[in-house]
Amino acid sequence: MKTIRLILGTMCLLPLGLKAQNSFSVQGKIAPKDVPSMVFLNYYEEGKSVKDSVMLQKGQFSFKGKVSSPSEAMIYLKEQDAKQTTGGDEITFYLENSKITITSPDSLWKATVKGSKTNDDQASLRLLQRPYRKVADSIMRVYNSWTPEQRKDTALTKTLAPPMRASQAGYDSVNRAFISSHLNSFIALRVFKEMELGYDFNPDTAEARFARFPAKLRESYSGKKLASMIEIGKKTNTGVVAMDFIQNDTTGKPVKLSDFRGRYVLVDFWASWCKPCRAENPNLLKAYNKFKDKNFTILGVSLDDEDGRKAWLHAVAKDGMPWTQVSDLQGFKSKAAIDYGVNAIPANFLIAPDGKIVARNLRGDDLEKKLAQIL
């Protein structure tokens, strides 16, 4: 009977609970300001920026609205006649459809956030991560205290590697444990992205682990973006035929990736402004000169934009890159970059004569080693 009454009571409260979860309210209370001040709320709803503002009334403010899924938000103060915000008086938190309170005796950045499961999950995760963050921070303090000469001493810098690896391993371990125990949490979905969808992730493994999340999270705006990243990863995985694309070279002549069929070709995504890319170019040049007569070439794809056209051409000449260079001058909006899931550079794909991808993101000596192996 007690169980039945509990169920009936829950059912009676259900409509009210659902109604409360269809929108958010943010109630804030901080110390009143001596001068009239505005409170600003910024967040993203399905990729679109949303901004709202209210007057601070006797230290209190409130916002109301609706989000389709939890979104990272910021609230900050600005004196009414000031040109800039009050320095540092801001708070970042997760906005979701619940009754959220933000309170502080003096300033926003010291405020406490309550009434949000997502923020509670974030706090729980940070507590788990804290010991490993402290170790990593202490290691970096040691490194930053060294002189430039000490930092060049490889034997000395190698002493920092074991504790840093151990710290990273512990950090990754608590993250994975958190994901497994919080599959209904938006924070777990965010941590999954950081851990499983990095620079050179395995799409098959990521897909299997992503499937463990409930449909509600997978079908959210953020979930759909992650699913799209995984699909792109599958389309650019090793063993898959590389997608064709066409862009103009430095003279304006259209060039297709399929024009290189029958040869090994490294599709190298880079940009003139990208320092790691420019640092990698000597390695590419070395590999090119060593294997260019063994059925190997490079196709450079620049992610410079229209304003960077001159810089792109200058970089090609300065770095002495004799291979074909193309660009649609659309930056990261380049169709080739989007199709290949390139959101960080340098990035590259080694394609075999039959058009299949055989390796990805070969850096430093790895390209030479791979070419020596297959050629």
Side-chain angles (χ1 to χ4, degrees):
M1 293 295 292
K2 184 178 179 181
T3 303
I4 293 174
R5 283 198 298 272
L6 179 62
I7 293 173
L8 289 174
T10 304
M11 290 175 67
C12 291
L13 292 172
L14 190 57
L16 181 62
L18 287 175
K19 184 177 180 181
Q21 293 178 355
N22 283 334
S23 61
F24 68 77
S25 68
V26 179
Q27 304 292 329
K29 187 175 182 180
I30 59 175
K33 297 292 181 182
D34 295 331
V35 295
S37 300
M38 295 289 293
V39 185
F40 292 85
L41 169 66
N42 292 352
Y43 63 97
Y44 282 87
E45 168 61 9
E46 297 196 343
K48 296 180 180 179
S49 176
V50 179
K51 298 182 180 181
D52 198 358
S53 61
V54 295
M55 284 290 297
L56 185 67
Q57 301 285 352
K58 296 181 180 180
Q60 298 187 43
F61 62 88
S62 66
F63 294 99
K64 291 184 178 181
K66 181 178 180 180
V67 289
S68 59
S69 60
S71 173
E72 194 167 16
M74 175 187 287
I75 287 180
Y76 60 91
L77 283 176
K78 179 181 178 183
E79 294 180 0
Q80 193 170 19
D81 297 327
K83 294 182 180 180
Q84 296 181 346
T85 60
T86 305
D89 200 7
E90 61 189 36
I91 185 170
T92 300
F93 66 105
Y94 282 96
L95 187 64
E96 61 185 319
N97 293 328
S98 64
K99 187 176 180 179
I100 301 172
T101 60
I102 298 177
T103 56
S104 173
D106 46 29
S107 57
L108 272 176
W109 72 278
K110 292 182 180 179
T112 300
V113 180
K114 292 184 178 181
S116 163
K117 181 181 181 300
T118 304
N119 285 286
D120 292 344
D121 287 346
Q122 173 77 344
S124 298
L125 176 62
R126 287 192 174 276
L127 192 62
L128 295 171
Q129 295 172 337
R130 184 180 297 171
Y132 307 103
R133 286 179 178 271
K134 287 179 68 175
V135 172
D137 290 343
S138 65
I139 293 172
M140 288 309 301
R141 281 195 296 271
V142 170
Y143 178 79
N144 291 331
S145 69
W146 288 349
T147 64
E149 289 73 22
Q150 287 176 310
R151 295 179 189 179
K152 293 177 183 178
D153 185 342
T154 54
L156 184 61
T157 55
K158 282 182 178 179
T159 63
L160 300 181
M164 185 62 86
R165 280 196 296 267
S167 175
Q168 185 66 53
Y171 185 83
D172 291 345
S173 178
V174 297
N175 281 345
R176 289 196 173 91
F178 180 87
I179 293 172
S180 297
S181 60
H182 293 75
L183 288 174
N184 287 304
S185 171
F186 177 81
I187 298 300
L189 192 69
R190 180 182 62 77
V191 177
F192 166 82
K193 178 185 177 183
E194 294 174 0
M195 294 199 66
E196 305 294 345
L197 303 182
Y199 180 67
D200 195 17
F201 71 94
N202 183 320
D204 297 326
T205 302
E207 183 177 43
R209 291 176 177 172
F210 181 65
R212 296 185 299 169
F213 287 98
K216 183 179 179 180
L217 276 180
R218 296 199 311 271
E219 294 168 5
S220 67
Y221 177 76
S222 297
K224 288 178 180 178
K225 288 186 68 176
L226 301 190
S228 176
M229 292 174 65
I230 293 172
E231 284 302 310
I232 291 174
K234 290 167 65 176
K235 292 178 181 178
T236 57
N237 204 2
T238 54
V240 176
V241 174
M243 292 174 282
D244 200 11
F245 62 85
I246 182 171
Q247 292 189 9
N248 290 345
D249 66 10
T250 55
T251 66
K253 177 185 175 182
V255 175
K256 292 181 180 180
L257 173 59
S258 55
D259 293 340
F260 296 84
R261 253 327 150 79
R263 286 182 285 176
Y264 281 94
V265 56
L266 183 78
V267 180
D268 176 52
F269 290 89
W270 71 291
S272 65
W273 46 262
C274 170
K275 291 183 179 180
C277 303
R278 302 293 295 274
E280 190 65 23
N281 283 340
N283 295 323
L284 297 183
L285 183 60
K286 183 181 176 184
Y288 175 81
N289 287 331
K290 187 173 182 179
F291 295 99
K292 65 181 180 180
D293 296 326
K294 297 182 180 180
N295 206 33
F296 169 73
T297 190
I298 300 175
L299 174 62
V301 183
S302 168
L303 298 190
D304 285 280
D305 57 20
E306 189 66 48
D307 293 336
R309 178 179 175 80
K310 288 184 179 179
W312 167 44
L313 299 177
H314 177 74
V316 171
K318 185 175 181 179
D319 292 0
M321 297 180 282
W323 51 84
T324 303
Q325 295 283 349
V326 299
S327 180
D328 59 10
L329 300 175
Q330 296 296 312
F332 278 97
K333 293 182 180 179
S334 164
K335 187 176 185 306
I338 293 172
D339 287 347
Y340 278 75
V342 176
N343 48 37
I345 50 178
N348 59 52
F349 301 82
L350 181 61
I351 301 171
D354 61 0
K356 291 182 179 180
I357 299 171
V358 294
R360 300 184 301 177
N361 296 321
L362 297 168
R363 303 279 296 272
D365 295 332
D366 290 343
L367 176 59
E368 273 195 67
K369 292 177 182 176
K370 185 65 177 180
L371 291 173
Q373 175 189 340
I374 60 180
L375 295 179

